[in-house]
PDB file of all heavy atoms in Angstrom:
ATOM      1  N   ARG F 830     -96.452 -50.052 -43.203  1.00  0.00           N
ATOM      2  CA  ARG F 830     -96.373 -51.356 -43.880  1.00  0.00           C
ATOM      3  C   ARG F 830     -95.673 -52.387 -43.005  1.00  0.00           C
ATOM      4  O   ARG F 830     -96.064 -53.545 -42.966  1.00  0.00           O
ATOM      5  CB  ARG F 830     -95.666 -51.214 -45.220  1.00  0.00           C
ATOM      6  CG  ARG F 830     -96.531 -50.498 -46.241  1.00  0.00           C
ATOM      7  CD  ARG F 830     -95.870 -50.424 -47.578  1.00  0.00           C
ATOM      8  NE  ARG F 830     -96.722 -49.699 -48.498  1.00  0.00           N
ATOM      9  CZ  ARG F 830     -96.306 -49.183 -49.624  1.00  0.00           C
ATOM     10  NH1 ARG F 830     -95.049 -49.321 -49.988  1.00  0.00           N
ATOM     11  NH2 ARG F 830     -97.134 -48.538 -50.405  1.00  0.00           N
ATOM     12  N   PHE F 838     -97.945 -61.749 -36.728  1.00  0.00           N
ATOM     13  CA  PHE F 838     -97.126 -62.512 -35.799  1.00  0.00           C
ATOM     14  C   PHE F 838     -97.517 -62.275 -34.349  1.00  0.00           C
ATOM     15  O   PHE F 838     -97.021 -62.930 -33.457  1.00  0.00           O
ATOM     16  CB  PHE F 838     -95.636 -62.171 -35.989  1.00  0.00           C
ATOM     17  CG  PHE F 838     -95.111 -62.610 -37.314  1.00  0.00           C
ATOM     18  CD1 PHE F 838     -94.997 -61.719 -38.369  1.00  0.00           C
ATOM     19  CD2 PHE F 838     -94.743 -63.933 -37.513  1.00  0.00           C
ATOM     20  CE1 PHE F 838     -94.516 -62.128 -39.596  1.00  0.00           C
ATOM     21  CE2 PHE F 838     -94.250 -64.348 -38.741  1.00  0.00           C
ATOM     22  CZ  PHE F 838     -94.139 -63.445 -39.793  1.00  0.00           C
ATOM     23  N   PRO F 840     -96.926 -59.639 -32.259  1.00  0.00           N
ATOM     24  CA  PRO F 840     -96.099 -58.964 -31.261  1.00  0.00           C
ATOM     25  C   PRO F 840     -96.824 -57.748 -30.692  1.00  0.00           C
ATOM     26  O   PRO F 840     -97.774 -57.243 -31.278  1.00  0.00           O
ATOM     27  CB  PRO F 840     -94.877 -58.526 -32.062  1.00  0.00           C
ATOM     28  CG  PRO F 840     -95.400 -58.303 -33.437  1.00  0.00           C
ATOM     29  CD  PRO F 840     -96.474 -59.362 -33.622  1.00  0.00           C
ATOM     30  N   PRO F 849     -99.370 -39.062 -34.351  1.00  0.00           N
ATOM     31  CA  PRO F 849     -99.804 -40.465 -34.402  1.00  0.00           C
ATOM     32  C   PRO F 849    -101.169 -40.623 -35.060  1.00  0.00           C
ATOM     33  O   PRO F 849    -102.066 -39.819 -34.845  1.00  0.00           O
ATOM     34  CB  PRO F 849     -99.855 -40.892 -32.935  1.00  0.00           C
ATOM     35  CG  PRO F 849     -99.635 -39.681 -32.128  1.00  0.00           C
ATOM     36  CD  PRO F 849     -99.220 -38.563 -33.009  1.00  0.00           C
ATOM     37  N   ALA F 852    -106.370 -43.970 -35.330  1.00  0.00           N
ATOM     38  CA  ALA F 852    -107.256 -44.973 -35.939  1.00  0.00           C
ATOM     39  C   ALA F 852    -106.438 -46.151 -36.471  1.00  0.00           C
ATOM     40  O   ALA F 852    -106.788 -47.316 -36.253  1.00  0.00           O
ATOM     41  CB  ALA F 852    -108.085 -44.339 -37.051  1.00  0.00           C
ATOM     42  N   ASP F 863     -93.798 -42.769 -25.807  1.00  0.00           N
ATOM     43  CA  ASP F 863     -92.658 -41.877 -26.053  1.00  0.00           C
ATOM     44  C   ASP F 863     -91.437 -42.701 -26.446  1.00  0.00           C
ATOM     45  O   ASP F 863     -91.383 -43.914 -26.253  1.00  0.00           O
ATOM     46  CB  ASP F 863     -92.387 -40.962 -24.861  1.00  0.00           C
ATOM     47  CG  ASP F 863     -91.968 -41.700 -23.600  1.00  0.00           C
ATOM     48  OD1 ASP F 863     -91.266 -42.722 -23.692  1.00  0.00           O
ATOM     49  OD2 ASP F 863     -92.339 -41.237 -22.506  1.00  0.00           O
ATOM     50  N   GLN F 866     -89.635 -44.972 -23.819  1.00  0.00           N
ATOM     51  CA  GLN F 866     -90.282 -46.259 -23.534  1.00  0.00           C
ATOM     52  C   GLN F 866     -89.930 -47.275 -24.613  1.00  0.00           C
ATOM     53  O   GLN F 866     -89.683 -48.446 -24.314  1.00  0.00           O
ATOM     54  CB  GLN F 866     -91.793 -46.100 -23.415  1.00  0.00           C
ATOM     55  CG  GLN F 866     -92.482 -47.389 -22.993  1.00  0.00           C
ATOM     56  CD  GLN F 866     -93.961 -47.192 -22.689  1.00  0.00           C
ATOM     57  OE1 GLN F 866     -94.457 -46.088 -22.632  1.00  0.00           O
ATOM     58  NE2 GLN F 866     -94.654 -48.304 -22.512  1.00  0.00           N
ATOM     59  N   LYS F 869     -86.404 -48.537 -24.038  1.00  0.00           N
ATOM     60  CA  LYS F 869     -86.312 -49.422 -22.873  1.00  0.00           C
ATOM     61  C   LYS F 869     -86.980 -50.772 -23.091  1.00  0.00           C
ATOM     62  O   LYS F 869     -86.538 -51.778 -22.552  1.00  0.00           O
ATOM     63  CB  LYS F 869     -86.940 -48.747 -21.651  1.00  0.00           C
ATOM     64  CG  LYS F 869     -86.147 -47.581 -21.133  1.00  0.00           C
ATOM     65  CD  LYS F 869     -86.875 -46.895 -19.988  1.00  0.00           C
ATOM     66  CE  LYS F 869     -86.098 -45.675 -19.509  1.00  0.00           C
ATOM     67  NZ  LYS F 869     -86.828 -44.950 -18.461  1.00  0.00           N
ATOM     68  N   HIS F 877     -88.089 -45.670 -39.313  1.00  0.00           N
ATOM     69  CA  HIS F 877     -88.760 -45.374 -40.585  1.00  0.00           C
ATOM     70  C   HIS F 877     -89.093 -43.891 -40.573  1.00  0.00           C
ATOM     71  O   HIS F 877     -90.241 -43.504 -40.354  1.00  0.00           O
ATOM     72  CB  HIS F 877     -90.018 -46.232 -40.743  1.00  0.00           C
ATOM     73  CG  HIS F 877     -89.741 -47.684 -40.533  1.00  0.00           C
ATOM     74  ND1 HIS F 877     -89.137 -48.455 -41.496  1.00  0.00           N
ATOM     75  CD2 HIS F 877     -89.923 -48.486 -39.475  1.00  0.00           C
ATOM     76  CE1 HIS F 877     -88.980 -49.679 -41.036  1.00  0.00           C
ATOM     77  NE2 HIS F 877     -89.440 -49.720 -39.802  1.00  0.00           N
ATOM     78  N   THR F 889     -77.970 -42.049 -29.954  1.00  0.00           N
ATOM     79  CA  THR F 889     -76.579 -41.873 -29.554  1.00  0.00           C
ATOM     80  C   THR F 889     -76.300 -42.826 -28.395  1.00  0.00           C
ATOM     81  O   THR F 889     -77.145 -43.657 -28.051  1.00  0.00           O
ATOM     82  CB  THR F 889     -76.319 -40.416 -29.119  1.00  0.00           C
ATOM     83  OG1 THR F 889     -77.108 -40.150 -27.952  1.00  0.00           O
ATOM     84  CG2 THR F 889     -76.675 -39.421 -30.226  1.00  0.00           C
ATOM     85  N   GLU F 899     -80.339 -57.572 -25.231  1.00  0.00           N
ATOM     86  CA  GLU F 899     -80.751 -58.544 -26.252  1.00  0.00           C
ATOM     87  C   GLU F 899     -81.494 -57.883 -27.420  1.00  0.00           C
ATOM     88  O   GLU F 899     -81.951 -58.565 -28.344  1.00  0.00           O
ATOM     89  CB  GLU F 899     -81.612 -59.645 -25.625  1.00  0.00           C
ATOM     90  CG  GLU F 899     -82.913 -59.175 -25.020  1.00  0.00           C
ATOM     91  CD  GLU F 899     -82.814 -58.712 -23.557  1.00  0.00           C
ATOM     92  OE1 GLU F 899     -81.704 -58.501 -23.039  1.00  0.00           O
ATOM     93  OE2 GLU F 899     -83.866 -58.560 -22.940  1.00  0.00           O
ATOM     94  N   ASP F 912     -75.630 -42.488 -34.241  1.00  0.00           N
ATOM     95  CA  ASP F 912     -74.205 -42.216 -34.125  1.00  0.00           C
ATOM     96  C   ASP F 912     -73.479 -43.552 -34.313  1.00  0.00           C
ATOM     97  O   ASP F 912     -73.580 -44.443 -33.469  1.00  0.00           O
ATOM     98  CB  ASP F 912     -73.884 -41.606 -32.755  1.00  0.00           C
ATOM     99  CG  ASP F 912     -72.424 -41.215 -32.647  1.00  0.00           C
ATOM    100  OD1 ASP F 912     -71.555 -42.116 -32.786  1.00  0.00           O
ATOM    101  OD2 ASP F 912     -72.154 -40.032 -32.428  1.00  0.00           O
ATOM    102  N   ASP F 918     -69.517 -49.055 -30.368  1.00  0.00           N
ATOM    103  CA  ASP F 918     -69.136 -49.268 -28.959  1.00  0.00           C
ATOM    104  C   ASP F 918     -70.143 -50.165 -28.253  1.00  0.00           C
ATOM    105  O   ASP F 918     -69.768 -51.078 -27.514  1.00  0.00           O
ATOM    106  CB  ASP F 918     -69.029 -47.932 -28.215  1.00  0.00           C
ATOM    107  CG  ASP F 918     -67.833 -47.108 -28.657  1.00  0.00           C
ATOM    108  OD1 ASP F 918     -66.914 -47.658 -29.302  1.00  0.00           O
ATOM    109  OD2 ASP F 918     -67.839 -45.891 -28.347  1.00  0.00           O
ATOM    110  N   ASN F 923     -71.137 -55.615 -26.044  1.00  0.00           N
ATOM    111  CA  ASN F 923     -72.300 -56.479 -25.812  1.00  0.00           C
ATOM    112  C   ASN F 923     -73.430 -55.788 -25.056  1.00  0.00           C
ATOM    113  O   ASN F 923     -74.218 -56.432 -24.380  1.00  0.00           O
ATOM    114  CB  ASN F 923     -71.893 -57.770 -25.090  1.00  0.00           C
ATOM    115  CG  ASN F 923     -70.957 -58.595 -25.938  1.00  0.00           C
ATOM    116  OD1 ASN F 923     -71.172 -58.765 -27.137  1.00  0.00           O
ATOM    117  ND2 ASN F 923     -69.902 -59.094 -25.330  1.00  0.00           N
ATOM    118  N   ARG F 924     -73.523 -54.470 -25.174  1.00  0.00           N
ATOM    119  CA  ARG F 924     -74.662 -53.747 -24.597  1.00  0.00           C
ATOM    120  C   ARG F 924     -75.861 -53.794 -25.533  1.00  0.00           C
ATOM    121  O   ARG F 924     -76.952 -53.372 -25.162  1.00  0.00           O
ATOM    122  CB  ARG F 924     -74.284 -52.298 -24.309  1.00  0.00           C
ATOM    123  CG  ARG F 924     -73.313 -52.133 -23.143  1.00  0.00           C
ATOM    124  CD  ARG F 924     -73.150 -50.697 -22.692  1.00  0.00           C
ATOM    125  NE  ARG F 924     -73.150 -49.700 -23.735  1.00  0.00           N
ATOM    126  CZ  ARG F 924     -72.059 -49.234 -24.359  1.00  0.00           C
ATOM    127  NH1 ARG F 924     -70.864 -49.701 -24.029  1.00  0.00           N
ATOM    128  NH2 ARG F 924     -72.153 -48.312 -25.280  1.00  0.00           N
ATOM    129  N   ALA F 928     -77.307 -55.310 -34.895  1.00  0.00           N
ATOM    130  CA  ALA F 928     -77.852 -54.208 -35.682  1.00  0.00           C
ATOM    131  C   ALA F 928     -77.816 -54.587 -37.157  1.00  0.00           C
ATOM    132  O   ALA F 928     -76.985 -55.392 -37.584  1.00  0.00           O
ATOM    133  CB  ALA F 928     -77.062 -52.931 -35.436  1.00  0.00           C
ATOM    134  N   VAL F 932     -78.057 -47.542 -44.210  1.00  0.00           N
ATOM    135  CA  VAL F 932     -77.784 -46.141 -44.541  1.00  0.00           C
ATOM    136  C   VAL F 932     -76.769 -45.579 -43.553  1.00  0.00           C
ATOM    137  O   VAL F 932     -76.779 -45.924 -42.380  1.00  0.00           O
ATOM    138  CB  VAL F 932     -79.083 -45.310 -44.532  1.00  0.00           C
ATOM    139  CG1 VAL F 932     -79.973 -45.690 -45.697  1.00  0.00           C
ATOM    140  CG2 VAL F 932     -79.848 -45.508 -43.223  1.00  0.00           C
ATOM    141  N   PRO F 941     -66.107 -48.379 -38.285  1.00  0.00           N
ATOM    142  CA  PRO F 941     -65.901 -49.490 -37.352  1.00  0.00           C
ATOM    143  C   PRO F 941     -66.980 -50.568 -37.385  1.00  0.00           C
ATOM    144  O   PRO F 941     -66.717 -51.715 -37.017  1.00  0.00           O
ATOM    145  CB  PRO F 941     -65.844 -48.800 -35.980  1.00  0.00           C
ATOM    146  CG  PRO F 941     -66.565 -47.512 -36.163  1.00  0.00           C
ATOM    147  CD  PRO F 941     -66.321 -47.108 -37.590  1.00  0.00           C
ATOM    148  N   ALA F 943     -68.074 -52.090 -39.830  1.00  0.00           N
ATOM    149  CA  ALA F 943     -67.744 -53.079 -40.862  1.00  0.00           C
ATOM    150  C   ALA F 943     -67.017 -54.296 -40.298  1.00  0.00           C
ATOM    151  O   ALA F 943     -67.006 -55.354 -40.932  1.00  0.00           O
ATOM    152  CB  ALA F 943     -66.906 -52.429 -41.958  1.00  0.00           C
ATOM    153  N   LEU F 949     -75.038 -56.334 -39.368  1.00  0.00           N
ATOM    154  CA  LEU F 949     -75.255 -56.602 -40.789  1.00  0.00           C
ATOM    155  C   LEU F 949     -75.318 -55.265 -41.517  1.00  0.00           C
ATOM    156  O   LEU F 949     -76.128 -54.403 -41.187  1.00  0.00           O
ATOM    157  CB  LEU F 949     -76.566 -57.363 -40.990  1.00  0.00           C
ATOM    158  CG  LEU F 949     -77.023 -57.555 -42.426  1.00  0.00           C
ATOM    159  CD1 LEU F 949     -76.050 -58.447 -43.178  1.00  0.00           C
ATOM    160  CD2 LEU F 949     -78.426 -58.132 -42.462  1.00  0.00           C
ATOM    161  N   THR F 951     -75.656 -53.306 -45.235  1.00  0.00           N
ATOM    162  CA  THR F 951     -75.979 -53.358 -46.660  1.00  0.00           C
ATOM    163  C   THR F 951     -75.705 -51.975 -47.233  1.00  0.00           C
ATOM    164  O   THR F 951     -75.553 -50.998 -46.501  1.00  0.00           O
ATOM    165  CB  THR F 951     -77.441 -53.782 -46.887  1.00  0.00           C
ATOM    166  OG1 THR F 951     -78.305 -52.949 -46.112  1.00  0.00           O
ATOM    167  CG2 THR F 951     -77.657 -55.234 -46.504  1.00  0.00           C
ATOM    168  N   LEU F 963     -89.608 -48.190 -59.871  1.00  0.00           N
ATOM    169  CA  LEU F 963     -90.631 -47.788 -60.831  1.00  0.00           C
ATOM    170  C   LEU F 963     -91.778 -47.092 -60.112  1.00  0.00           C
ATOM    171  O   LEU F 963     -92.247 -46.034 -60.544  1.00  0.00           O
ATOM    172  CB  LEU F 963     -91.142 -49.011 -61.612  1.00  0.00           C
ATOM    173  CG  LEU F 963     -92.270 -48.721 -62.605  1.00  0.00           C
ATOM    174  CD1 LEU F 963     -91.813 -47.746 -63.687  1.00  0.00           C
ATOM    175  CD2 LEU F 963     -92.767 -50.016 -63.223  1.00  0.00           C
ATOM    176  N   ARG F 964     -92.213 -47.663 -58.989  1.00  0.00           N
ATOM    177  CA  ARG F 964     -93.314 -47.069 -58.229  1.00  0.00           C
ATOM    178  C   ARG F 964     -92.937 -45.670 -57.730  1.00  0.00           C
ATOM    179  O   ARG F 964     -93.730 -44.737 -57.792  1.00  0.00           O
ATOM    180  CB  ARG F 964     -93.702 -47.980 -57.071  1.00  0.00           C
ATOM    181  CG  ARG F 964     -94.983 -47.582 -56.370  1.00  0.00           C
ATOM    182  CD  ARG F 964     -95.485 -48.620 -55.374  1.00  0.00           C
ATOM    183  NE  ARG F 964     -94.503 -48.992 -54.372  1.00  0.00           N
ATOM    184  CZ  ARG F 964     -93.897 -50.175 -54.294  1.00  0.00           C
ATOM    185  NH1 ARG F 964     -94.180 -51.122 -55.168  1.00  0.00           N
ATOM    186  NH2 ARG F 964     -93.019 -50.429 -53.348  1.00  0.00           N
ATOM    187  N   PHE F 976     -99.485 -31.131 -59.045  1.00  0.00           N
ATOM    188  CA  PHE F 976     -99.059 -29.781 -58.678  1.00  0.00           C
ATOM    189  C   PHE F 976     -99.253 -28.827 -59.854  1.00  0.00           C
ATOM    190  O   PHE F 976     -99.780 -27.724 -59.685  1.00  0.00           O
ATOM    191  CB  PHE F 976     -97.594 -29.799 -58.225  1.00  0.00           C
ATOM    192  CG  PHE F 976     -97.061 -28.443 -57.896  1.00  0.00           C
ATOM    193  CD1 PHE F 976     -97.352 -27.856 -56.670  1.00  0.00           C
ATOM    194  CD2 PHE F 976     -96.271 -27.750 -58.800  1.00  0.00           C
ATOM    195  CE1 PHE F 976     -96.872 -26.601 -56.351  1.00  0.00           C
ATOM    196  CE2 PHE F 976     -95.784 -26.491 -58.492  1.00  0.00           C
ATOM    197  CZ  PHE F 976     -96.083 -25.907 -57.272  1.00  0.00           C
ATOM    198  N   MET F 977     -98.813 -29.230 -61.036  1.00  0.00           N
ATOM    199  CA  MET F 977     -98.901 -28.370 -62.228  1.00  0.00           C
ATOM    200  C   MET F 977    -100.355 -28.076 -62.606  1.00  0.00           C
ATOM    201  O   MET F 977    -100.649 -27.009 -63.124  1.00  0.00           O
ATOM    202  CB  MET F 977     -98.165 -29.018 -63.406  1.00  0.00           C
ATOM    203  CG  MET F 977     -96.673 -29.226 -63.171  1.00  0.00           C
ATOM    204  SD  MET F 977     -95.780 -27.709 -62.878  1.00  0.00           S
ATOM    205  CE  MET F 977     -95.758 -27.013 -64.502  1.00  0.00           C
ATOM    206  N   PRO F 981    -104.920 -31.092 -55.480  1.00  0.00           N
ATOM    207  CA  PRO F 981    -104.325 -31.423 -54.171  1.00  0.00           C
ATOM    208  C   PRO F 981    -103.295 -32.555 -54.324  1.00  0.00           C
ATOM    209  O   PRO F 981    -103.496 -33.493 -55.093  1.00  0.00           O
ATOM    210  CB  PRO F 981    -105.508 -31.913 -53.334  1.00  0.00           C
ATOM    211  CG  PRO F 981    -106.734 -31.575 -54.102  1.00  0.00           C
ATOM    212  CD  PRO F 981    -106.347 -31.334 -55.522  1.00  0.00           C
ATOM    213  N   PRO F 985     -98.118 -34.824 -49.676  1.00  0.00           N
ATOM    214  CA  PRO F 985     -97.369 -33.599 -49.390  1.00  0.00           C
ATOM    215  C   PRO F 985     -96.448 -33.794 -48.185  1.00  0.00           C
ATOM    216  O   PRO F 985     -96.692 -34.648 -47.332  1.00  0.00           O
ATOM    217  CB  PRO F 985     -98.469 -32.580 -49.062  1.00  0.00           C
ATOM    218  CG  PRO F 985     -99.601 -33.413 -48.554  1.00  0.00           C
ATOM    219  CD  PRO F 985     -99.527 -34.708 -49.330  1.00  0.00           C
ATOM    220  N   MET F 993     -90.214 -27.441 -38.413  1.00  0.00           N
ATOM    221  CA  MET F 993     -88.986 -27.902 -37.768  1.00  0.00           C
ATOM    222  C   MET F 993     -87.760 -27.322 -38.451  1.00  0.00           C
ATOM    223  O   MET F 993     -86.814 -26.890 -37.809  1.00  0.00           O
ATOM    224  CB  MET F 993     -88.896 -29.426 -37.790  1.00  0.00           C
ATOM    225  CG  MET F 993     -89.704 -30.087 -36.718  1.00  0.00           C
ATOM    226  SD  MET F 993     -89.345 -31.839 -36.626  1.00  0.00           S
ATOM    227  CE  MET F 993     -89.818 -32.405 -38.250  1.00  0.00           C
ATOM    228  N   GLU F 995     -87.525 -24.596 -40.202  1.00  0.00           N
ATOM    229  CA  GLU F 995     -87.434 -23.162 -39.969  1.00  0.00           C
ATOM    230  C   GLU F 995     -86.909 -22.848 -38.574  1.00  0.00           C
ATOM    231  O   GLU F 995     -86.128 -21.930 -38.392  1.00  0.00           O
ATOM    232  CB  GLU F 995     -88.805 -22.495 -40.154  1.00  0.00           C
ATOM    233  CG  GLU F 995     -89.248 -22.473 -41.608  1.00  0.00           C
ATOM    234  CD  GLU F 995     -90.695 -22.024 -41.763  1.00  0.00           C
ATOM    235  OE1 GLU F 995     -91.368 -21.765 -40.740  1.00  0.00           O
ATOM    236  OE2 GLU F 995     -91.153 -21.931 -42.910  1.00  0.00           O
TER     237      GLU F 995
END
Side-chain angles (χ1 to χ4, degrees):
R830 288 183 182 162
F838 294 99
D863 64 35
Q866 185 172 351
K869 290 176 183 176
H877 308 283
T889 64
E899 63 273 14
D912 184 300
D918 290 344
N923 297 316
R924 289 191 322 268
V932 290
L949 172 66
T951 52
L963 177 62
R964 190 170 55 250
F976 177 80
M977 298 299 287
M993 280 189 299
E995 290 171 358

